[in-house]
Amino acid sequence: MDPTTRGALVSIARLNKWYGSMRALRNVSLEVAAHERVVICGASGSGKSTLLRCINGLETHQSGRIVVDGTEVTGAAKTLERVRREVGMVFQSFNLFPHLTVLENCSLAPIWVRKLSPAAARAAAVHYLDRVHLAAHAGRYPSELSGGEQQRVAIARALCMSPKVMLFDEPTSALDPVMIKEVLDIIVELAQSGMTMICVTHEMGFARRVADRIVFMDQGEIIEEGTPAEIFENPKTERLGAFLSRILHGANAAATPASG
Amino acid sequence: MALDARVSRADDAEPRAASDYFRYKVWLTWAVLLVLLGVGCHGLHLDLGYVRQKLPFLLGLRLAPDGFIQGAALTIFVTGCSMVFALMVAFVTALGRVSRNPVAFALATFYASLFRGTPLMVQVLIIYLALPQVGVVLGGLTSGLIALSLNYGAYLAETIRSGLMAVPVGQREAALALGLPRWAVAWKVIAPQALRLIIPPAGALFISMLKDSSLVSLMGLWELNFLAQSYARATYHYMEMLIAAALIYWALSIAFEIVQFRLERRFGRGVAPDRGIGGGRRRV
């Protein structure tokens, strides 16, 4: 919403990563400003999840620089903790803590990382659970929720840390179509509230709706980036054109405005 | 412990009557089996007067002539101490087993292999009889505690390791991504989930240890099994003493099982009911 950019919130410069001899990321550079919503797309194995996981240090990179909110991401535990406090992440497989209730899932990090009192952390958790329309389920365990509900709790859990940027790693890939909609609706609401977000997804209709900028990756490289209009209507590279025709005329065609 | 299978939170949907019916039948079956066992023992024409006379000694309510505890009290003491030490040894060994440090890994695997691969009785005797030859003289009790702790620690280490490995890697990643410090990732997220998997096999190990603790009698300690056999030999009341000792061991094991069941229920929170411990629960 707010285009004022006081420098980039996430700044990635010439990032390289290898898995053994396999090069997962090639000279990736990406700047994300505060309040900007970036969608990363690309085929499986194109390095988009790896890039996302490098941002909060779940993966280490071999060369290049990542700076998040003024802190460079390095291997040092204290630095990583500082970065991760400000970076919320939502995983494809939800990864809720099964032994904790929904409320405890949401208040764990605020209590032990932000040092909130349990009462304050619980109040904040209820607030964010309400935002994802699940306040009524606060006392339940994750195993008692549907996949869509679990993912919404995972979003609330990340929000409880009041992160400056949210990373979504294929948040709807493990869900059926009805649940996909309920999760995407929440992410759209979040985007409209001005949250900075970087989202890896195959949902092109969603990308078109929320993205300020779409980044297309292939074989560990950023091939093309631009506004949704530029990306969908006027792909400059053959690789992006091929990717779009595959994905838009595939299973998603009916649900995707871009195809109609 | 299936006989105390309570309805866990997740079972709320199930009609209460069905689970009460299940428990009622479990208790009834246990009662029938106990009666059958009693009838069988009655057929042996045991001299219960002798059992009654020796029971305080078997239980350890009286001290041994040297003023030390004896009987079941000593058995409980030896098992309890060995459990604590075995847990400490096992925890360190399990960390070594998952360590990327080659020396730590080698130490852990060598220890686990040696103590799992040799008989407990040999270990007890080597510690008690061979160590003095290299200048290390240990008392009988100390030797027994060390042997039991090291032997069971080796098994327990593998149990702990498998529990840690079974927690999905996504749990660790989610905890790290929230900015939790490493101790909180370990204690608030990984440990509770690993414990749920560790408790059942660890409980089995501790019950086994309870009975293996009789090996300390080799070093002149008057624990339950030793006392029962001596009294039996003295007056040829073999069946009386052996059955009395067996029942005491069984009662102690049941106490262990109850503790294990409570821990399982505590750490089983949030687990889907069909994978949980609600013994025998079936959806009709």
Side-chain angles (χ1 to χ4, degrees):
Chain A
M1 297 267 105
D2 181 4
T4 52
T5 50
R6 304 157 305 219
L9 190 55
V10 177
S11 168
I12 302 168
R14 301 191 64 77
L15 196 68
N16 284 289
K17 177 173 179 60
W18 284 265
Y19 290 112
S21 61
M22 208 274 283
R23 197 166 178 187
L25 294 174
R26 294 164 194 268
N27 290 327
V28 172
S29 296
L30 183 68
E31 304 255 307
V32 179
H35 309 299
E36 199 180 8
R37 287 139 314 182
V38 173
V39 166
I40 305 177
C41 62
S44 302
S46 58
K48 49 198 195 311
S49 286
T50 306
L51 175 62
L52 208 62
R53 290 161 58 84
C54 282
I55 294 173
N56 67 350
L58 287 183
E59 302 276 356
T60 54
H61 53 276
Q62 274 90 34
S63 76
R65 251 168 86 88
I66 304 176
V67 180
V68 178
D69 192 32
T71 307
E72 181 172 358
V73 180
T74 62
K78 287 290 150 202
T79 314
L80 282 175
E81 281 168 30
R82 192 158 67 234
V83 168
R84 287 165 178 163
R85 278 204 289 271
E86 311 304 334
V87 179
M89 187 165 202
V90 174
F91 298 85
Q92 181 178 344
S93 49
F94 329 137
N95 297 353
L96 291 181
F97 306 132
H99 60 299
L100 301 179
T101 63
V102 165
L103 192 71
E104 289 165 343
N105 263 278
C106 293
S107 55
L108 182 71
I111 290 172
W112 296 106
V113 180
R114 294 276 188 223
K115 312 290 180 199
L116 291 188
S117 72
R122 275 196 294 272
V126 169
H127 169 78
Y128 285 107
L129 284 170
D130 194 42
R131 221 168 129 180
V132 300
H133 317 303
L134 285 173
H137 290 355
R140 296 197 176 207
Y141 286 95
S143 63
E144 299 170 278
L145 305 182
S146 73
E149 289 168 336
Q150 289 191 45
Q151 192 62 302
R152 281 148 62 198
V153 172
I155 293 171
R157 177 175 70 177
L159 291 177
C160 282
M161 286 293 287
S162 315
K164 294 198 169 116
V165 53
M166 286 282 287
L167 309 177
F168 292 90
D169 189 3
E170 303 199 25
T172 58
S173 296
L175 298 172
D176 67 38
V178 178
M179 295 178 187
I180 290 177
K181 185 177 179 315
E182 71 183 48
V183 169
L184 289 184
D185 285 348
I186 295 292
I187 302 177
V188 170
E189 277 174 37
L190 193 60
Q192 284 163 351
S193 75
M195 174 62 77
T196 310
M197 55 172 73
I198 307 176
C199 185
V200 169
T201 184
H202 293 294
E203 297 292 327
M204 290 299 127
F206 161 79
R208 192 176 253 266
R209 262 163 85 202
V210 305
D212 296 312
R213 185 151 50 111
I214 294 180
V215 173
F216 170 65
M217 290 184 70
D218 191 35
Q219 293 177 4
E221 259 179 307
I222 292 181
I223 304 296
E224 207 172 321
E225 55 183 299
T227 63
E230 287 166 357
I231 291 288
F232 286 113
E233 269 118 59
N234 200 7
K236 292 190 211 51
T237 57
E238 207 173 295
R239 279 199 259 183
L240 174 57
F243 171 75
L244 287 174
S245 70
R246 257 202 322 279
I247 199 159
L248 297 181
H249 297 108
N252 285 342
T256 308
S259 68
Chain B
M1 274 262 303
L3 75 158
D4 195 15
R6 286 224 198 127
V7 185
S8 71
R9 292 176 53 99
D11 293 9
D12 284 349
E14 192 182 38
R16 181 104 193 125
S19 66
D20 280 353
Y21 179 70
F22 177 84
R23 278 166 67 187
Y24 161 74
K25 278 213 154 175
V26 168
W27 283 111
L28 192 69
T29 312
W30 264 70
V32 169
L33 291 171
L34 275 176
V35 168
L36 286 177
L37 199 59
V39 168
C41 287
H42 184 72
L44 295 171
H45 303 293
L46 301 176
D47 176 359
L48 293 179
Y50 190 70
V51 174
R52 212 169 294 127
Q53 184 198 334
K54 292 300 180 193
L55 198 59
F57 297 95
L58 289 179
L59 288 173
L61 303 178
R62 311 271 164 80
L63 291 182
D66 60 358
F68 199 65
I69 53 173
Q70 62 174 348
L74 180 58
T75 295
I76 293 170
F77 178 75
V78 168
T79 310
C81 291
S82 302
M83 271 169 66
V84 172
F85 295 138
L87 274 171
M88 295 193 297
V89 169
F91 183 67
V92 174
T93 308
L95 290 184
R97 257 326 241 102
V98 297
S99 167
R100 263 172 283 181
N101 180 322
V103 177
F105 181 83
L107 283 172
T109 46
F110 182 83
Y111 155 68
S113 175
L114 180 65
F115 278 85
R116 291 205 304 170
T118 53
L120 175 58
M121 204 208 286
V122 175
Q123 293 165 15
V124 171
L125 290 175
I126 286 179
I127 290 171
Y128 187 52
L129 300 175
L131 285 187
Q133 297 187 23
V134 291
V136 185
V137 182
L138 299 168
L141 182 64
T142 316
S143 304
L145 289 182
I146 290 175
L148 274 175
S149 307
L150 288 180
N151 183 272
Y152 276 85
Y155 286 98
L156 205 52
E158 288 298 292
T159 304
I160 292 176
R161 183 184 72 94
S162 68
L164 289 175
M165 304 286 275
V167 178
V169 67
Q171 291 292 311
R172 193 183 131 77
E173 290 185 345
L176 287 174
L178 284 166
L180 286 168
R182 283 167 62 165
W183 71 265
V185 176
W187 289 106
K188 299 282 171 186
V189 176
I190 307 295
Q193 296 186 55
L195 273 173
R196 183 177 74 77
L197 304 166
I198 290 169
I199 286 165
L205 277 179
F206 288 143
I207 286 174
S208 166
M209 180 192 255
L210 178 71
K211 288 166 291 168
D212 274 347
S213 69
S214 66
L215 278 169
V216 298
S217 63
L218 286 173
M219 290 152 312
L221 289 162
W222 295 12
E223 51 67 56
L224 178 54
N225 190 41
F226 175 81
L227 274 188
Q229 292 197 26
S230 341
Y231 293 144
R233 253 195 307 275
T235 54
Y236 297 103
H237 283 84
Y238 277 100
M239 278 307 130
E240 284 81 356
M241 287 299 101
L242 293 185
I243 288 174
L247 288 178
I248 295 172
Y249 275 117
W250 190 20
L252 293 175
S253 299
I254 287 177
F256 276 35
E257 284 174 19
I258 291 171
V259 171
Q260 178 192 334
F261 171 73
R262 303 239 148 149
L263 287 172
E264 276 185 41
R265 198 174 52 190
R266 170 145 181 242
F267 287 101
R269 280 181 314 174
V271 177
D274 54 331
R275 285 183 287 128
I277 51 163
R281 228 192 105 261
R282 293 287 176 274
R283 210 162 264 138
V284 200

